[in-house]
Amino acid sequence: MTLFQIAEPGQTPAPHERRRAVGIDLGTTNSLVATVRDGRPECLPDADGRVMLPSLVHYTPEGAVRVGEGARLALMTDPEHSFKSIKRLMGRSMSDVMQLRQALPYRFESGEGVPRMHVPGGSVTAVQVSSEILRALRGRAEAALGGALVGAVITVPAYFDEAQRQATRDAARLAGLHVLRLLNEPTAAAVAYGLDRRDSGTLAVFDLGGGTFDISILRLSRGVFEVLATGGDSQLGGDDFDEAVACWILDEAGIKAELSTGAQRHLQGVACQVKERLTEHAQAEVRIELGREAVWSGCLSCGRFNELIDPLVDRTLRACRRALRDAGLEAGQIDEVVMVGGATRVPRVRERVAGLFGREPLTDIDPDRVVALGAALQADVLAGNKPGEDWLLLDVIPLSLGIETLGGLVERLIPRNTTLPVARAQEFTTFRDGQTAMALHVVQGERERVEDCRSLARFELRGIPPMAAGAARIRVTFQVDADGLLTVSAVEASTGVSAEITVKPSHGLAEGEIERMLRDSVAHAAEDMQVRRLREARVEGERVRVALEAALSADAALVGEDGERITAARIGLDRALAGEDVEVLRQATAALEQACAGFVERRMNQAVARAMKGHAIDQFAHGREED
Ligand code: ADP
Ligand code: MG
């Protein structure tokens, strides 16, 4: 197998004009944006120097949207409108959502189709919530790179099915991002390690994040990657370690009562801290405060923690063995194991992965950043910044694709782990005399029966000429592009009548719905409002600053003992004016006005005194108005 050549539309840019392209790791727990500068990938920090953007979104009562660290407090104070791990809901139907293990604190609107969650002033879908995270990263990148982006490579778990990939694309589109490509996270990590520069080898990428686990087996030969197999569990991650610790705490504390959502989140937060502390320490103190009376403290040892998480680690190892089997390899045949995802910092995970593969895993690159860095390298290539390297890596299809046949059985057209892009066709026939239409039901999954697989789409082929049962020949073609998006077509051989569907998965968004959301999404309205508020607060802040400067140059002598306070407040305002936070800006403006109160009063008194001395009263009043 060789590299798949894809030339991006458009010309190769002149060497001096690099196209701004980024890689985005849209994580369940944390999201990052990275770009290539001076030939090296780097993660872009926010104004406070943090590269990890917690994947948290809060819709405030005032209709604003807060993303990242600023939304964390709201997880406890306003859980119904603050979204955490939204990636778990991407591309999910209402019935999928009901099956999730965690009780979700959101208020879902009743009705069919894409689950919608209530927020102040309306409702939002998981796609919209995710788009807020992407929008924040896009803003960060555009500020850092000084202009609009040509596009982004966004990473997704290898396990993501059609609906989840489509939802990710939709979110990017809502955020105003052009998707150069969706890239599997483990593949991105392999790129970050530059393993394409090696001669040959077989590689396992073990990615344990907050909410998803992926294992990928890759083979390298002379700079070419081939994905041999992927596997994992889209419902397993560091969050489950937290949950195990939380259960232990409740057990130890003897708490049996149902917890409020706020209390649950507090417990989760404590559990997460304890877990992360145990990465560096042999034991960790635990203290929870569930209301005034229910305070409990204790201590969790590393040994006990390992026992708690071992069943979860077992699950990751089982998935590894399965992927190895799919790839036709023994654990000992793997030359390198790459660790990805924050949860691979847990020593027990490293130890047991090392045990399975019989070698120490690679951990040189920060496991939190490695995916974003690899995505940035791909984005750089796809944007055309590296002429002559317009290649893409091969990916495989994560789950088999097929069609429903008589008796509710699945006929598989494309088996899982088939390399992308791919097209496969198969002939079907009618089963009733004179049958003029055929219903096609596209499904994804490994099971034999339709009800055990995931329904992707249904469509009909009409206008089949009436024939005896079994005489019609209907050719059904499945085509999957490099991003893993599927088009299914059906053609009747004698007449050429055809029908086609680009799988808009039944849990994704309809085309029209996206357009509508683009036009009038709650999020946009909120953003517009936010922009206006910020602008107004800026104008007000500037006004106070300019007024102060004028006053100082006229009457510096009257400042007196307020000098220090005024200077401090002025520095505070300058800082707030450089930032984007409306509240901070308003407070800083108010603080400066307050600091100046004495000075202003003294000036006023002096002005009045002067006016009374030399000028007519009406002149003075006129001047005041103009002020
Ligand atoms: P995702 O890919 O799901 O966004 P990340 O790769 O950012 O997730 O990993 C997040 C997970 O890693 C969380 O469960 C977090 O608690 C865990 N984690 C981060 N740092 C540590 C650490 N030092 N020790 C143990 N777990 C950690
Ligand atoms: Mg991740």
Side-chain angles (χ1 to χ4, degrees):
M1 239 173 289
T2 57
L3 288 175
F4 176 57
Q5 300 282 334
I6 286 189
E8 281 294 301
Q11 303 292 311
T12 309
H16 57 278
E17 71 182 60
R18 284 183 73 75
R19 298 188 181 191
R20 297 180 199 95
V22 295
I24 292 179
D25 175 1
L26 182 61
T28 312
T29 319
N30 296 296
S31 298
L32 301 92
V33 58
T35 196
V36 173
R37 278 203 271 217
D38 305 323
R40 299 180 68 110
E42 59 183 86
C43 289
L44 300 173
D46 66 8
D48 297 319
R50 294 175 295 209
V51 299
M52 304 252 268
L53 177 71
S55 303
L56 304 172
V57 180
H58 178 218
Y59 292 80
T60 72
E62 299 80 34
V65 184
R66 284 176 159 264
V67 179
E69 208 53 61
R72 194 178 298 282
L73 187 63
L75 287 178
M76 280 194 258
T77 58
D78 187 17
E80 187 179 304
H81 305 134
S82 34
F83 298 91
K84 165 184 181 215
S85 301
I86 194 67
K87 191 168 170 179
R88 284 188 189 272
L89 302 190
M90 289 289 272
R92 295 295 182 186
S93 69
M94 203 58 222
S95 64
D96 292 333
V97 169
M98 302 314 287
Q99 280 168 14
L100 287 181
R101 273 172 310 148
Q102 310 144 290
L104 297 166
Y106 318 126
R107 196 137 53 83
F108 287 94
E109 299 210 324
S110 55
E112 287 303 297
V114 184
R116 303 193 70 92
M117 295 153 289
H118 177 265
V119 295
S123 65
V124 290
T125 62
V127 166
Q128 280 169 297
V129 177
S130 286
S131 80
E132 295 295 348
I133 298 169
L134 289 172
R135 200 193 308 266
L137 293 175
R138 177 185 144 209
R140 182 194 289 189
E142 288 182 345
L145 302 179
L149 304 177
V150 299
V153 167
I154 301 179
T155 58
V156 290
Y159 225 59
F160 256 25
D161 64 20
E162 296 283 330
Q164 293 164 304
R165 282 167 200 264
Q166 187 60 55
T168 305
R169 280 184 161 273
D170 292 344
R173 206 163 133 204
L174 265 182
L177 275 170
H178 170 60
V179 180
L180 296 167
R181 191 193 178 190
L182 297 180
L183 183 64
N184 283 347
E185 288 159 11
T187 314
V191 173
Y193 269 97
L195 291 164
D196 49 333
R197 288 194 290 275
R198 289 204 184 174
D199 267 357
S200 64
T202 309
L203 182 79
V205 182
F206 184 101
D207 179 352
L208 191 60
T212 53
F213 169 61
D214 278 302
I215 175 73
S216 294
I217 312 290
L218 313 176
R219 183 160 60 205
L220 319 164
S221 56
R222 296 161 58 79
V224 175
F225 279 101
E226 191 184 330
V227 183
L228 297 180
T230 65
D233 189 332
S234 57
Q235 300 286 323
L236 178 61
D239 293 352
D240 299 287
F241 293 3
D242 300 352
E243 213 173 288
V245 172
C247 287
W248 176 84
I249 294 173
L250 288 179
D251 255 14
E252 293 289 304
I255 297 170
K256 297 207 172 55
E258 188 84 352
L259 294 184
S260 68
T261 313
Q264 266 172 31
R265 291 230 156 126
H266 167 67
L267 182 65
Q268 271 167 15
V270 170
C272 182
Q273 280 166 11
V274 167
K275 170 193 71 177
E276 292 186 4
R277 192 169 163 78
L278 287 171
T279 292
E280 307 286 339
H281 300 86
Q283 59 183 48
E285 300 298 325
V286 186
R287 187 186 157 81
I288 49 161
E289 293 171 36
L290 306 173
R292 221 164 287 148
E293 274 91 60
V295 175
W296 179 84
S297 54
C299 179
L300 180 59
S301 72
C302 212
R304 184 77 187 96
F305 172 69
N306 290 347
E307 285 171 21
L308 293 175
I309 64 165
D310 262 345
L312 298 165
V313 183
D314 284 340
R315 279 167 62 192
T316 67
L317 299 188
R318 270 203 296 279
C320 289
R321 288 193 204 97
R322 230 177 359 248
L324 282 167
R325 238 192 344 266
D326 282 346
L329 293 171
E330 301 285 331
Q333 289 175 280
I334 300 293
D335 301 309
E336 291 290 2
V337 181
V338 177
M339 293 298 241
V340 181
T344 61
R345 289 216 173 83
V346 173
R348 182 62 158 185
V349 172
R350 293 187 173 185
E351 175 190 321
R352 298 203 53 206
V353 169
L356 173 68
F357 289 98
R359 63 176 43 255
E360 282 307 312
L362 289 178
T363 51
D364 312 347
I365 303 181
D366 186 336
D368 297 318
R369 302 186 186 198
V370 62
V371 166
L373 296 174
L377 287 168
Q378 272 284 285
D380 197 43
V381 171
L382 290 177
N385 287 329
K386 297 193 122 186
E389 277 193 46
D390 51 351
W391 47 265
L392 284 180
L393 298 169
L394 294 176
D395 269 337
V396 296
I397 194 156
L399 296 167
S400 302
L401 292 165
I403 204 151
E404 176 173 353
T405 60
L406 273 186
L409 295 179
V410 177
E411 177 73 27
R412 243 171 257 148
L413 265 80
I414 304 182
R416 77 198 191 94
N417 283 331
T418 302
T419 310
L420 299 184
V422 63
R424 294 276 166 85
Q426 194 162 322
E427 279 194 354
F428 292 85
T429 188
T430 49
F431 75 100
R432 235 185 257 124
D433 285 339
Q435 185 177 345
T436 59
M438 189 181 212
L440 293 118
H441 182 199
V442 184
V443 297
Q444 183 167 38
E446 307 314 308
R447 310 279 292 275
E448 295 303 322
R449 293 182 331 168
V450 166
E451 64 258 43
D452 298 327
C453 290
R454 188 177 180 81
S455 170
L456 289 181
R458 292 173 187 273
F459 68 112
E460 279 187 2
L461 178 65
R462 295 184 168 279
I464 302 172
M467 281 183 249
R473 295 202 341 263
I474 291 137
R475 193 174 172 77
V476 175
T477 307
F478 275 44
Q479 206 169 345
V480 188
D481 72 11
D483 292 331
L485 293 175
L486 169 69
T487 305
V488 181
S489 59
V491 182
E492 197 282 314
S494 66
T495 55
V497 292
S498 66
E500 182 182 281
I501 188 163
T502 295
V503 172
K504 285 186 224 64
S506 36
H507 318 301
L509 296 162
E511 194 64 30
E513 200 172 356
I514 294 240
E515 300 302 338
R516 187 178 58 70
M517 279 164 52
L518 278 169
R519 269 202 316 275
D520 58 26
S521 86
V522 180
H524 269 297
E527 185 190 89
D528 293 345
M529 216 156 80
Q530 184 114 339
V531 166
R532 207 190 61 222
R533 279 211 200 105
L534 179 62
R535 209 165 286 157
E536 285 170 354
R538 278 234 171 92
V539 169
E540 179 64 11
E542 287 286 2
R543 189 189 65 75
V544 171
R545 185 166 68 172
V546 169
L548 174 68
E549 251 142 46
L552 282 177
S553 67
D555 292 313
L558 296 179
V559 169
E561 59 195 16
D562 289 334
E564 256 171 55
R565 245 184 101 202
I566 292 176
T567 305
R570 193 167 59 163
I571 291 171
L573 179 59
D574 283 348
R575 218 175 272 149
L577 279 166
E580 305 252 280
D581 196 319
V582 177
E583 260 334 288
V584 168
L585 197 44
R586 281 191 186 147
Q587 278 164 18
T589 305
L592 182 58
E593 278 184 314
Q594 217 170 11
C596 292
F599 171 51
V600 168
E601 198 180 303
R602 286 191 287 280
R603 280 196 79 212
M604 192 96 82
N605 290 344
Q606 190 187 60
V608 171
R610 269 191 205 140
M612 298 304 274
K613 237 186 264 165
H615 302 272
I617 295 291
D618 62 353
Q619 227 179 334
F620 172 63
H622 187 69
R624 286 277 300 155
E625 260 167 38
E626 265 178 4
D627 225 349

